[in-house]
Amino acid sequence: MQIAYLGIVFLIIIGILALGRPLYQAILGGLAATVLFFQIPPLEIIRRTSLVITQWSSLSVLLSLYMITFLQRILESRNFLVNHHCF
């Protein structure tokens, strides 16, 4: 059943992105669905969030993802990164 829940969470994220919403909104929608499906208590959410902020191993991954996104937007704005669709 947990695999099905993860599949639904993935589909929610894809669906929100398909509606043209920003990535952060899609991720927040996925997080909300995860909390509901897996019945994660509020205190556990706070504890896990604090671990991401305070542990360098988690924080470095988060910062790397933000840096990649930031650089991608810079390259796209200067037309150095072009998206070619192959159909």
Side-chain angles (χ1 to χ4, degrees), residues 61-79:
V61 171
L62 185 63
L63 291 174
S64 297
L65 291 173
Y66 278 121
M67 183 63 73
I68 290 168
T69 302
F70 179 70
L71 291 173
Q72 176 189 356
R73 297 218 178 184
I74 289 174
L75 292 172
E76 286 175 346
S77 70
R78 297 181 181 182
N79 293 324

Side-chain angles (χ1 to χ4, degrees), residues 30-76:
L31 285 172
T34 302
V35 167
L36 292 174
F37 287 143
F38 292 99
Q39 300 173 353
I40 301 172
L43 289 176
E44 184 65 18
I45 295 168
I46 293 168
R47 188 180 77 78
R48 297 281 176 147
T49 302
S50 67
L51 287 176
V52 169
I53 295 170
T54 59
Q55 289 186 349
W56 176 247
S57 59
S58 300
L59 189 59
S60 66
V61 171
L62 185 63
L63 291 174
S64 297
L65 291 173
Y66 278 121
M67 183 63 73
I68 290 168
T69 302
F70 179 70
L71 291 173
Q72 176 189 356
R73 297 218 178 184
I74 289 174
L75 292 172
E76 286 175 346

Side-chain angles (χ1 to χ4, degrees), residues 13-28:
I13 292 171
I14 297 298
I16 293 172
L17 289 173
L19 293 173
R21 305 308 303 172
L23 180 60
Y24 78 91
Q25 290 179 0
I27 297 301
L28 288 175

Side-chain angles (χ1 to χ4, degrees), residues 3-19:
I3 296 293
Y5 287 159
L6 289 176
I8 294 168
V9 168
F10 179 73
L11 290 175
I12 288 171
I13 292 171
I14 297 298
I16 293 172
L17 289 173
L19 293 173

